Amino acid sequence: MAGAVSALFLLDIKGRVLVWRDYRGDVSAVQAERFFTKLLEQEVDPDLHDPVVYDNGVTYMFIQHNNVFLMTAARQNCNAASIFLFLHRVVDVFKHYFEELEEESLRDNFVVVYELLDEMMDFGYPQYTEAKILSEFIKTDAYRMEVTQRPPMAVTNAVSWRSEGIKYKKNEVFLDVVESVNILVNTNGQIIRSDVVGALKMRTYLSGMPECKLGLNDRVLLEAQGRSTKGKAIDLDDIKFHQCVRLARFENDRTISFIPPDGSFDLMTYRLSTQVKPLIWVEAQVERHSRSRIELLVKARSQFKIYSKLHNCSTATNVEIEIPVPSDATNPNIRTSMGSASYAPEKDALVWKVKSFPGGKEYMVRAEFSLPSITAEESAPDKKAPVRVKFEIPYFTVSGIQVRYLKIIEKSGYQALPWVRYITMAGEYELRLM
Amino acid sequence: MYGFQGTLVRTKPKPVSPKLTRSFRRRAKRELLSPSALLPPHPHPTDGMAPPAPNPPKSSSPSQPSGKSEVTDLKLQLRQLAGSIAPGSDDSRRELFKKVISFMTVGIDVSAAFSEMVMCSATSDVVLKKMCYLYVCNYARSNPDLALLTINFLQKDCRDEDPMIRGLALRSLSSLRVANLVEYLVAPLTSGLRDSSPYVRMVAAIGVLKLYHISPSTCLDSDFPAMLKSLMLNDPDAQVVANCMSSLQEIWNLEAGNLEEVSREREALLSKQVVYYLLNRIREFNEWAQCLVLELASKYIPSDSNEIFDIMNLLEDRLQHANSAVVLATIKLFLFLTMSMADVHQQVYERIKAPLLTLVSSGGPEQSFAVLSHLHLLVMRAPILFSSDYKHFYCQYSEPSYVKKLKLEMLTSIANESNTYEIVTELCEYVANVDVSISRESIRAIGKIALQQYDVNAIVDRLLQFLEMEKDYVTAETLVLVKDLLRKYPQWSHDCIAVVGNISSKNVQEPKGKAALIWMLGEYSNDMLDAPYILESLLENWDEEHAPEVRLHLLTATMKCFFKRPPEAQKALGAALAAGLADSHQDVHDRALFYYRLLQYDVSVAERLVNPPKQAVSVFADTQSSEIKDRIFEEFNSLSVLYQQPAYMFTDKEHRGPFEFAEELGSLSLDPDTVENVIPVQSYGSSDNDLLLGSFEKEDGRAVANNDSAYSAPGYSTSLIPDADFLNLTTPSIPSQPSSVLVDLLGLGTPDTPPPPALKLNPKGVLDPGSFQRKWGQLTTTVSQELALNPQGVAALAAPQALLRHMQGRSIQCIASGGQPPNLKFFFFAQRDGETSSFFLVECLINTSSAKAQIKIKTEDPSLSEPFSALFQSALTELSPS
């Protein structure tokens, strides 16, 4: 359904309109504001209501970013997935312009906000949403510099995501291979589900219209080329590409070729649903001594190899383990064998941080809390939270994905430097307690 | 508060020097990944790509200036600057304009400065112009007279040599939305559509649509649609093409009268030529426009299977697009294309599985919400699809509840023999772990799975364990479920009653849970020793019981108990009837009175009514008719799927999306007669009406709750006839055709044939799919009926082709068919043989398991619809295996 949006609102945390753009004139700001503030009053936690709400003939769809709500109002039967994505793009564009999207940055930049909203959507239909292309239209911020009087380039060339005439003194490309591990372990220590979501994040600082070609150790490709794939090829489940990648070409011969947009973007994302061994394993024992004391013994073990192919010494960094404790615990007494642990009452959790956690090691933390001896008769139901783990492991990927080459060819023939970096981090990493 | 520091009123705005501003520019954040200190630093490029940083004019105001004096002051300053050509005057103007815009945004009325703003707009500075346009558009509608002032300079700017200015001016001009200014819009739009710059053409294409909304006649009379069409097919710029397409779709959709010309235009947009042209260029479009093209293509009806495969091969790579909207649009197209090819359709499901699963976990929670809603819809149609991927729908602790809820629904829908154990185990985790609303939903989910008849044994055990958790809400939800389970599986009553009997009614506060408990007390009085005494103690607190639902159940349960254990319950019954008669709630009062009179009339009749022999409920009524579900599927990839309602239920007529198909379905489906395609359920007795209507729709606020009249009067009035219960058993749900139903029930299989038709059909009627779809969209339904098929007919339907040949023999042609047993769907048409040669269109839904057909007939000549309907029905009922 290609329905059009009637208006776009930017609202503060209480639901008051900061800026709005009326595209079709069939919803009123007052009505929308009244509705939305009421909605926010009803529920303290914005998580609780659906992001799509219907009121009196109008569908409101909203997302939150920092202390700002972005909301569309529509009377037509719109394409919901597309609108949410559009709102996220609006956030990206604003971030590009204001560094961060929040109430204050909006208030400081009304004029640019209006300009952007005008170019991103016309009469409720999305138009251009790439920050770099929009900068062709947006004049206000550049007002101290000479206003370039060339016609907007983007719309006249076939590559809609990149404008012509970009120049850098030093041509460089940064490629980050980021894999996040999602894992869920049940109370018996069994892995219920695990998967890996990977992304190739790129930042390009390249002049002209460069042609890039990326080679990965993709099994299908290597086998097609008749090379041996023993041990170093990988299977990727579902690959998604940035719009710059020539999809047809990939379908044909698995080559990833593209003219990149300028600046940062996600070149490709993929998913791996094979069982992953938990990289960091946490076991927690909770003992309740009498009614007034609780003792925790938490062991964390790193289960990745000390030596990896990419780098000689793998170490998890910024490890943060959150162990839930009863909400009425007091008087923490904590000892750790490594790192530091502290009680975070706002999360009802013991937070244990280890800056550097080499592979194959095991560390421990012991904690003791007092509990009030008298508890309220009807205490709030225990929300048993899982143990949650955050970490990063540089120079390491779970999937074993490797960038074999990244070729950059531009007609002026410059040499560009590609920089590649690998990192694995925890995504939704949860271990259920007892 | 925020934002504006310093003083509001400055007599002379001081231009800030460029250098100064640039040095204040915030530096772009450099670290892309996590800001880990331990990572070896990336070599970073030196400055250069910092985004155009904000440099807010730190000039203005306390946040809520009182207004008047400031506005006057601004006017004065603007007037001073109006004619100035001194160097730097543009900068000063910019500062002033910004201030005006800020005022406007925070809600101060600055329309008083209109003429000054217009005076200052005579400038070549793009920034100033932009701000001025913004200002003008904002105030034009409320000040049409002032708007007239701006026409002149806007028109002039439309001829500016800078394409940027031409485009902006044209957009502003068309956004004024002042009806009496449309005459000034036609010429600039016409030249805008022919402009050399794609930016201007792109703006003009949407401008035409804006004009249409102000004055449809002006737009159509100036022949804009034709210009848009030729631009759409010829313009080299993709965004121009996309905007033309949006405009045309909306215009022809809104024009959707019965005009021959309009429908021809609408059809032309869906012609092979146009669709192929757009699909071949799809890679040039940006992601949003790609969605539009795919959406348009999903309305296209290919002529043969080769075409279908060509299109799918062309578009398969779209499934790898990073934009979830593009992927969903592609999926819709694939599903719609293959609707009539069962095996390919199945392959499509297999192909789209991986991309869909990825979409669930990528992107923000709102996108997951949208994608999951669509997945849920697909799973309803193909439950087996994700049955081995159930782990993808396990909830994560940090997800928002709206995502969790949908995941629970998914888990419920994909549960089958192979995965029930794992799914229920996971759901049990949620009952104990997460927040209350999810905990409740999880219990309901477990119950639904149990009612689907998988692994009931283990589930009942688990449910009973929940009762031991002694959490109020868990107990209440569980009781409701146990009640439903008992109605379906009476064989579990011993286990359940033993546990339920231990629950003190004082611990159950929630009306629904309490009502369920009371129902069990009444129904199983014989098995629960204390039943009469518990009821008695509950009756003592009658006045404190706020929910009428509970009081109603109390009445009925006491009645039941009385018939089972008269001596012990007599006292309670007296108390219940007395309390009920004195009750202020109408339903409670009426029911008490009804019981009272019934007992007076004849105790044995009363017993038969209240305590009929128990029969298990086989299927709980589904609240949504399959027709509505199909309708929602037709609107795949739109809000309909999220609301689980077709568009007509939540949009006004004039806001329906482009190419709404068969709008009149709406009124029909709301008609209670058609909604009631409830699978015949054998009832316990009329006093249980409230339970009979199924437990699902009560919980499900989103569903189309037409059956909300749980305690409605008709139930009782029929019950006054002693045999009501008996009648109720024999004539379920099809009151319109009792004779055929009776015949069918007797299994004779010889339905009464309608009188011989007087209508003659053209045996060689021809209608192409496009025209069929168009006509279907235009015409209204004249006949809508449900009829029973004879068993031979159903047997013959094992090969749907048999039906097609059979109907063809009677000059009724099939144009499309689909679905999988037991649900088949056919579209037929026939043409009258004679001078008028009007068409008849039929939609026929056949359920082979219940041997029912639902037909809907549309005709160009309403006077002939009855004879044709008779003809069609007789043709259908005469079907037998050849």
Side-chain angles (χ1 to χ4, degrees):
Chain A
M1 189 67 35
V5 168
S6 296
L8 199 150
F9 296 88
L10 298 165
L11 309 125
D12 71 7
I13 198 74
K14 295 232 172 76
R16 285 176 303 230
V17 175
L18 292 168
V19 187
W20 76 299
R21 198 80 189 99
D22 177 13
Y23 292 113
R24 298 177 76 97
D26 52 11
V27 292
S28 84
V30 184
Q31 185 194 347
E33 190 177 66
R34 197 179 300 143
F35 167 72
F36 196 67
T37 39
K38 215 163 77 195
L39 185 76
L40 289 181
E41 278 163 13
Q42 274 168 15
E43 314 245 17
V44 192
D45 187 358
D47 271 2
L48 285 180
H49 36 70
D50 296 357
V52 182
V53 200
Y54 175 79
D55 178 61
N56 201 14
V58 184
T59 295
Y60 300 97
M61 280 181 260
F62 58 91
I63 64 169
Q64 190 180 5
H65 187 86
N66 291 336
N67 54 2
V68 177
F69 285 104
L70 294 95
M71 177 172 89
T72 59
R75 283 189 179 273
Q76 297 184 359
N77 185 16
C78 304
N79 180 334
S82 151
I83 287 174
F84 282 129
L85 203 59
F86 177 79
L87 288 177
H88 282 286
R89 289 290 156 77
V90 174
V91 172
D92 292 344
V93 168
F94 282 163
K95 272 160 89 172
H96 175 91
Y97 274 85
F98 315 138
E99 190 91 354
E100 194 41 87
L101 168 62
E102 50 188 41
E103 193 180 328
E104 185 158 2
S105 62
L106 287 177
R107 286 189 188 272
D108 287 350
N109 288 288
F110 283 144
V111 177
V112 190
V113 170
Y114 282 125
E115 278 188 69
L116 286 169
L117 292 181
D118 263 356
E119 296 297 346
M120 283 190 281
M121 194 170 247
D122 201 359
F123 212 53
Y125 292 102
Q127 307 282 312
Y128 290 102
T129 47
E130 288 88 15
K132 291 285 172 173
I133 297 300
L134 284 165
S135 58
E136 303 277 352
F137 306 117
I138 306 306
K139 305 295 181 189
T140 307
D141 255 335
Y143 71 99
R144 293 299 165 191
M145 296 165 225
E146 270 310 298
V147 176
T148 44
Q149 284 297 331
R150 59 187 168 141
M153 295 300 294
V155 278
T156 58
N157 77 50
V159 187
S160 71
W161 54 88
R162 186 182 180 95
S163 30
E164 279 166 8
I166 296 171
K167 274 207 175 66
Y168 289 98
K169 272 187 202 147
K170 197 173 167 192
N171 292 294
E172 288 178 303
V173 181
F174 300 89
L175 179 62
D176 287 310
V177 181
V178 185
E179 288 191 347
S180 23
V181 183
N182 300 317
I183 210 160
L184 179 61
V185 177
N186 73 4
T187 47
N188 305 327
Q190 291 164 326
I191 300 165
I192 304 185
R193 72 168 280 216
S194 68
D195 62 8
V196 177
V197 178
L200 267 60
K201 293 173 182 285
M202 252 191 159
R203 276 176 305 158
T204 59
Y205 304 100
L206 297 169
S207 316
M209 278 288 171
E211 265 288 338
C212 299
K213 237 169 116 178
L214 179 73
L216 298 172
N217 56 338
D218 171 19
R219 184 187 301 275
V220 183
L221 173 64
L222 292 180
E223 277 170 3
Q225 291 171 341
R227 298 197 203 186
S228 101
T229 56
K230 213 174 144 223
K232 56 183 178 181
I234 55 153
D235 289 311
L236 302 175
D237 257 6
D238 183 47
I239 310 179
K240 295 223 182 313
F241 291 109
H242 185 268
Q243 59 165 328
C244 67
V245 176
R246 298 187 181 92
L247 294 174
R249 185 98 190 263
F250 181 77
E251 285 286 301
N252 282 341
D253 58 5
R254 306 283 281 191
T255 330
I256 303 172
S257 73
F258 54 97
I259 297 175
D262 195 32
S264 46
F265 67 103
D266 283 7
L267 177 69
M268 118 182 194
T269 58
Y270 56 90
R271 186 167 54 86
L272 222 72
S273 53
T274 46
Q275 187 87 307
V276 185
K277 194 178 171 197
L279 297 166
I280 292 193
W281 184 258
V282 181
E283 273 169 38
Q285 287 174 14
V286 183
E287 274 183 70
R288 274 179 189 257
H289 296 288
S290 73
R291 285 178 66 110
S292 58
R293 205 160 58 87
I294 185 167
E295 206 177 285
L296 295 171
L297 174 65
V298 184
K299 286 184 205 163
R301 193 166 64 239
S302 53
Q303 311 198 95
F304 47 88
K305 278 189 223 135
I306 311 177
Y307 300 102
S308 74
K309 276 184 203 127
L310 296 162
H311 196 254
N312 54 6
C313 183
S314 282
T315 301
T317 58
N318 293 339
V319 178
E320 195 180 306
I321 301 171
E322 225 179 272
I323 305 116
V325 294
S327 55
D328 46 4
T330 49
N331 287 338
N333 178 10
I334 304 164
R335 275 166 301 157
T336 60
S337 67
M338 179 60 84
S340 65
S342 60
Y343 176 42
E346 74 280 4
K347 293 179 184 164
D348 291 330
L350 174 73
V351 180
W352 177 22
K353 292 177 180 170
V354 183
K355 267 260 175 268
S356 164
F357 202 138
K361 289 267 197 259
E362 182 173 295
Y363 297 132
M364 270 200 303
V365 65
R366 235 175 240 284
E368 213 183 281
F369 295 89
S370 308
L371 294 172
S373 46
I374 307 157
T375 48
E377 196 65 26
E378 278 297 310
S379 58
D382 248 354
K383 293 185 186 178
K384 271 204 252 159
V387 173
R388 304 167 80 190
V389 187
K390 286 181 203 152
F391 58 81
E392 288 155 12
I393 309 174
Y395 309 109
F396 176 82
T397 56
V398 182
S399 65
I401 192 174
Q402 274 183 51
V403 176
R404 290 169 52 236
Y405 57 81
L406 173 58
K407 289 177 192 154
I408 299 134
I409 302 152
E410 216 275 334
K411 56 177 181 284
S412 65
Y414 60 71
Q415 286 289 312
L417 298 169
W419 303 89
V420 182
R421 184 168 74 169
Y422 301 90
I423 188 166
T424 293
M425 50 206 271
E428 293 288 339
Y429 201 100
E430 298 175 357
L431 303 105
R432 287 184 188 147
L433 265 179
M434 268 103 287
Chain B
M1 277 165 71
Y2 302 95
F4 312 109
Q5 293 112 24
T7 50
L8 167 69
V9 184
R10 268 203 270 154
T11 42
K12 231 179 176 188
K14 193 166 53 181
V16 190
S17 90
K19 257 187 194 158
L20 194 69
T21 333
R22 209 171 299 162
S23 65
F24 274 128
R25 205 154 67 180
R26 292 183 207 161
R27 292 184 66 83
K29 216 187 242 169
R30 283 281 135 219
E31 198 60 53
L32 169 73
L33 279 175
S34 62
S36 155
L38 288 172
L39 291 181
H42 249 151
H44 288 303
T46 44
D47 209 279
M49 275 330 287
N55 33 14
K58 296 281 181 198
S59 56
S60 38
S61 73
S63 63
Q64 284 305 326
S66 58
K68 272 240 161 102
S69 61
E70 284 85 349
V71 176
T72 329
D73 204 64
L74 271 174
K75 273 178 76 167
L76 208 74
Q77 293 177 44
L78 281 166
R79 198 173 284 268
Q80 279 170 1
L81 279 169
S84 163
I85 45 161
S89 65
D90 269 356
D91 287 338
S92 325
R93 271 193 285 247
R94 279 182 186 179
E95 289 303 321
L96 276 176
F97 273 35
K98 276 194 176 177
K99 217 180 279 179
V100 172
I101 300 288
S102 300
F103 279 10
M104 187 180 94
T105 308
V106 296
I108 299 168
D109 185 8
V110 278
S111 60
F114 207 102
S115 49
E116 284 78 11
M117 289 292 283
V118 175
M119 268 151 71
C120 282
S121 62
T123 168
S124 56
D125 186 281
V126 190
V127 182
L128 275 179
K129 276 195 189 295
K130 274 194 157 187
M131 288 195 269
C132 190
Y133 297 152
L134 181 66
Y135 174 90
V136 167
C137 290
N138 199 50
Y139 287 110
R141 205 148 52 132
S142 48
N143 304 289
D145 298 341
L146 290 172
L148 191 62
L149 285 177
T150 64
I151 290 288
N152 209 1
F153 89 88
L154 282 174
Q155 275 188 323
K156 204 175 99 228
D157 284 353
C158 284
R159 296 188 296 268
D160 198 280
E161 59 183 23
D162 182 355
M164 188 84 205
I165 292 186
R166 289 203 300 273
L168 288 169
L170 188 58
R171 181 183 293 157
S172 310
L173 194 61
S174 50
S175 303
L176 288 178
R177 283 194 286 234
V178 181
N180 55 9
L181 297 182
V182 286
E183 53 187 301
Y184 301 103
L185 195 48
V186 174
L189 274 180
T190 313
S191 52
L193 287 173
R194 297 194 188 110
D195 200 285
S196 58
S197 158
Y199 181 73
V200 184
R201 294 199 300 275
M202 171 182 117
V203 170
I206 290 286
V208 171
L209 182 58
K210 293 178 186 169
L211 170 67
Y212 177 81
H213 276 268
I214 311 166
S215 164
S217 57
T218 318
C219 178
L220 297 179
D221 294 346
S222 318
D223 216 18
F224 277 123
M227 281 190 251
L228 284 182
K229 195 175 166 195
S230 82
L231 205 57
M232 181 177 84
L233 294 176
N234 297 307
D235 202 282
D237 186 88
Q239 192 60 39
V240 178
V241 175
N243 284 358
C244 289
M245 187 167 59
S246 308
S247 293
L248 277 177
Q249 286 206 40
E250 205 176 318
I251 290 175
W252 291 134
N253 182 56
L254 289 169
E255 272 301 296
N258 283 327
L259 281 173
E260 192 65 14
E261 185 201 3
V262 172
S263 44
R264 206 169 49 235
E265 290 294 341
R266 274 171 69 162
E267 203 184 321
L269 267 185
L270 288 173
S271 69
K272 186 169 176 171
Q273 180 212 4
V274 174
V275 172
Y276 273 48
Y277 173 77
L278 292 171
L279 286 180
N280 280 325
R281 290 187 64 183
I282 196 158
R283 289 177 183 80
E284 297 166 32
F285 291 105
N286 73 16
E287 46 198 329
W288 314 113
Q290 288 190 9
C291 295
L292 284 178
V293 174
L294 291 167
E295 179 66 36
L296 182 80
S298 69
K299 304 271 189 329
Y300 170 69
I301 300 166
S303 56
D304 58 31
S305 56
N306 284 339
E307 239 189 289
I308 293 175
F309 289 120
D310 284 349
I311 295 177
M312 298 215 301
N313 284 330
L314 179 73
L315 295 176
E316 191 176 3
D317 59 14
R318 293 300 111 189
L319 289 173
Q320 255 147 5
H321 202 284
N323 184 318
S324 54
V326 173
V327 178
L328 278 180
T330 314
I331 287 172
K332 175 179 184 178
L333 174 62
F334 282 19
L335 288 176
F336 279 34
L337 282 176
T338 56
M339 197 71 96
S340 57
M341 310 159 78
D343 49 334
V344 188
H345 200 63
Q346 209 51 42
Q347 284 174 22
V348 168
Y349 274 124
E350 286 301 320
R351 176 66 186 85
I352 62 181
K353 208 165 94 168
L356 276 170
L357 287 175
T358 308
L359 286 182
V360 173
S361 48
S362 58
E366 301 87 6
Q367 275 153 276
S368 305
F369 176 75
V371 173
L372 277 169
S373 304
H374 284 87
L375 270 177
H376 190 242
L377 180 68
L378 292 179
V379 162
M380 301 297 256
R381 300 177 73 89
I384 201 76
L385 184 58
F386 291 101
S387 58
S388 55
D389 302 285
Y390 57 93
K391 285 183 180 172
H392 284 273
F393 305 108
Y394 283 2
C395 299
Q396 276 149 21
Y397 182 71
S398 52
E399 280 169 334
S401 342
Y402 55 79
V403 172
K404 284 185 183 156
K405 270 185 196 152
L406 280 176
K407 285 192 167 175
L408 290 179
E409 279 180 32
M410 282 300 287
L411 287 174
T412 317
S413 320
I414 57 182
N416 63 13
E417 290 91 341
S418 62
N419 57 23
T420 295
Y421 181 78
E422 281 81 8
I423 290 181
V424 172
T425 309
E426 180 71 12
L427 287 172
C428 290
E429 284 284 339
Y430 306 149
V431 174
N433 268 358
V434 267
D435 63 294
V436 177
S437 68
I438 292 304
S439 169
R440 285 173 184 276
E441 295 280 348
S442 311
I443 299 174
R444 286 177 206 159
I446 294 171
K448 282 184 201 170
I449 294 176
L451 291 176
Q452 286 164 12
Q453 253 169 339
Y454 302 121
D455 204 8
V456 187
N457 198 346
I459 297 177
V460 171
D461 282 352
R462 289 201 170 127
L463 280 177
L464 295 179
Q465 279 171 22
F466 292 156
L467 291 176
E468 286 157 15
M469 282 169 64
E470 294 191 345
K471 279 185 186 159
D472 193 24
Y473 61 93
V474 175
T475 310
E477 288 293 343
T478 311
L479 281 175
V480 175
L481 274 181
V482 171
K483 177 204 71 186
D484 285 344
L485 280 176
L486 284 179
R487 291 174 61 209
K488 185 159 180 184
Y489 312 111
Q491 65 268 34
W492 293 105
S493 62
H494 272 289
D495 304 72
C496 294
I497 294 307
V499 181
V500 172
N502 291 332
I503 296 172
S504 162
S505 59
K506 292 194 184 67
N507 292 344
V508 185
Q509 291 307 321
E510 292 182 28
K512 276 200 171 110
K514 208 166 187 173
L517 181 63
I518 293 171
W519 180 85
M520 285 186 266
L521 284 171
E523 202 58 54
Y524 296 94
S525 302
N526 282 336
D527 305 318
M528 293 160 107
L529 265 184
D530 297 338
Y533 309 104
I534 300 174
L535 287 171
E536 212 168 288
S537 70
L538 282 166
L539 282 164
E540 278 167 23
N541 297 324
W542 180 278
D543 292 332
E544 283 142 48
E545 191 51 68
H546 296 294
E549 184 185 3
V550 177
R551 300 205 295 271
L552 282 170
H553 273 279
L554 210 45
L555 268 177
T556 307
T558 319
M559 276 290 272
K560 285 180 188 165
C561 187
F562 170 72
F563 288 117
K564 284 174 181 158
R565 298 163 72 174
E568 290 160 287
Q570 193 170 11
K571 189 175 154 227
L573 182 62
L577 290 176
L581 287 170
D583 202 277
S584 59
H585 194 275
Q586 192 65 50
D587 286 346
V588 181
H589 172 82
D590 285 357
R591 190 180 288 191
L593 193 63
F594 165 62
Y595 283 155
Y596 182 71
R597 289 187 181 152
L598 194 63
L599 287 167
Q600 266 186 328
Y601 170 74
D602 186 345
V603 177
S604 64
V605 169
E607 176 164 16
R608 253 195 305 166
L609 257 179
V610 178
N611 258 354
K614 277 191 276 289
Q615 269 164 318
V617 178
S618 58
V619 185
F620 281 83
D622 200 341
T623 39
Q624 264 180 342
S625 71
S626 59
E627 189 177 31
I628 289 193
K629 283 179 184 158
D630 284 348
R631 188 72 198 272
I632 295 173
F633 184 67
E634 269 169 32
E635 290 164 15
F636 192 85
N637 203 13
S638 77
L639 285 172
S640 314
V641 180
L642 275 73
Y643 289 143
Q644 298 183 10
Q645 287 180 355
Y648 66 79
M649 289 192 181
F650 60 90
T651 47
D652 312 327
K653 199 158 194 310
E654 69 266 32
H655 294 297
R656 305 264 158 86
F659 296 96
E660 278 294 331
F661 190 39
E663 289 180 1
E664 72 287 350
L665 277 180
S667 51
L668 259 180
S669 314
L670 285 170
D671 183 12
D673 284 347
T674 40
V675 169
E676 200 165 335
N677 58 350
V678 176
I679 302 149
V681 168
Q682 287 169 333
S683 62
Y684 269 72
S686 51
S687 59
D688 278 354
N689 260 354
D690 41 344
L691 291 164
L692 187 87
L693 286 164
S695 56
F696 298 148
E697 93 273 15
K698 288 192 212 152
E699 338 270 302
D700 198 349
R702 281 192 296 177
V704 210
N706 283 318
N707 296 344
D708 55 347
S709 54
Y711 309 107
S712 64
Y716 306 116
S717 60
T718 54
S719 314
L720 283 169
I721 312 159
D723 283 348
D725 227 0
F726 176 66
L727 281 179
N728 211 3
L729 283 170
T730 46
T731 54
S733 84
I734 321 165
S736 57
Q737 285 193 317
S739 60
S740 71
V741 172
L742 280 174
V743 168
D744 199 33
L745 273 177
L746 293 172
L748 295 178
T750 44
D752 44 346
T753 318
L759 181 71
K760 209 161 171 290
L761 297 176
N762 177 1
K764 293 193 176 67
V766 185
L767 189 65
D768 65 288
S771 322
F772 181 90
Q773 185 168 344
R774 180 167 51 81
K775 284 184 195 294
W776 185 265
Q778 283 169 359
L779 298 170
T780 53
T781 308
T782 48
V783 175
S784 170
Q785 216 158 8
E786 184 173 278
L787 64 153
L789 295 175
N790 65 33
Q792 295 101 312
V794 174
L797 274 169
Q801 283 73 19
L803 175 67
L804 307 191
R805 277 195 302 273
H806 172 79
M807 296 308 265
Q808 212 162 22
R810 282 158 182 72
S811 306
I812 300 169
Q813 323 285 335
C814 177
I815 192 148
S817 64
Q820 280 165 346
N823 289 306
L824 302 168
K825 186 170 183 173
F826 300 91
F827 282 101
F828 294 103
F829 73 89
Q831 191 174 19
R832 190 183 178 198
D833 202 12
E835 67 283 5
T836 49
S837 71
S838 53
F839 279 102
F840 303 96
L841 314 181
V842 188
E843 182 196 76
C844 178
L845 296 164
I846 296 180
N847 186 312
T848 48
S849 60
S850 66
K852 296 255 162 51
Q854 280 189 316
I855 55 167
K856 263 197 308 199
I857 299 178
K858 301 186 176 192
T859 165
E860 288 176 332
D861 185 351
S863 65
L864 291 172
S865 68
E866 276 308 321
F868 177 75
S869 162
L871 189 113
F872 186 84
Q873 289 183 34
S874 77
L876 197 61
T877 46
E878 278 163 26
L879 175 66
S880 61
S882 42

